[in-house]
Amino acid sequence: MAEDLALYLEKFRQRLPAALEELRGPVAGVVELPVHVVWSGMSAYDLGKPRQRMGLYRTVLHEGLREGLPRYLHHELLLQLWPTLRRLVGRTVRSVWEDAFPQLAARGRPAV
């Protein structure tokens, strides 16, 4: 069981960019995701609509490949969305991203 969890964590770690600033995807307009990222349901997301924007980020964080993350995600939007998004993604995705990027972890902590 522990070995399976370690493999699962490693799968997401390998997808991470070296720095958040590498994420230079769109901040406006409609984003079309390919079939290997979203194989059923909605595949086009309007970044001007908050729920669709959140859905795009959640989907890409879970299903996107390393080379696709910079194409579909933008570092400033990710930081902006993170306080809510961190509750929508799985525990594994959340911990991998927050461990790698302290600025995300800081956005997830309540203000004191």
Side-chain angles (χ1 to χ4, degrees):
M1 188 74 130
E3 186 176 318
D4 289 344
L5 178 58
L7 288 171
Y8 192 60
L9 284 166
E10 189 57 29
K11 174 180 98 167
F12 286 106
R13 281 190 197 109
Q14 290 177 358
R15 297 177 183 181
L16 292 172
L20 281 183
E21 293 72 24
E22 289 180 16
L23 305 176
R24 298 198 173 276
V27 295
V30 175
V31 176
E32 291 268 349
L33 293 178
V35 173
H36 72 270
V37 177
V38 60
W39 51 90
S40 69
M42 195 161 90
S43 62
Y45 297 83
D46 184 343
L47 293 174
K49 297 181 178 180
R51 291 185 78 185
Q52 288 189 31
R53 184 173 52 237
M54 195 69 71
L56 169 77
Y57 273 66
R58 182 180 180 276
T59 300
V60 172
L61 288 172
H62 275 275
E63 306 298 337
L65 302 176
R66 182 180 180 102
E67 61 274 4
L69 296 179
R71 187 176 317 136
Y72 303 117
L73 303 179
H74 192 279
H75 63 280
E76 290 175 0
L77 265 179
L78 180 61
L79 286 166
Q80 176 188 343
L81 297 173
W82 193 253
T84 301
L85 187 59
R86 70 182 305 275
R87 293 181 305 211
L88 300 175
V89 296
R91 182 180 310 161
T92 303
V93 171
R94 179 177 57 245
S95 65
V96 165
W97 280 81
E98 288 185 350
D99 288 350
F101 304 110
Q103 58 270 51
L104 288 177
R107 301 270 311 166
R109 288 194 286 270
V112 182

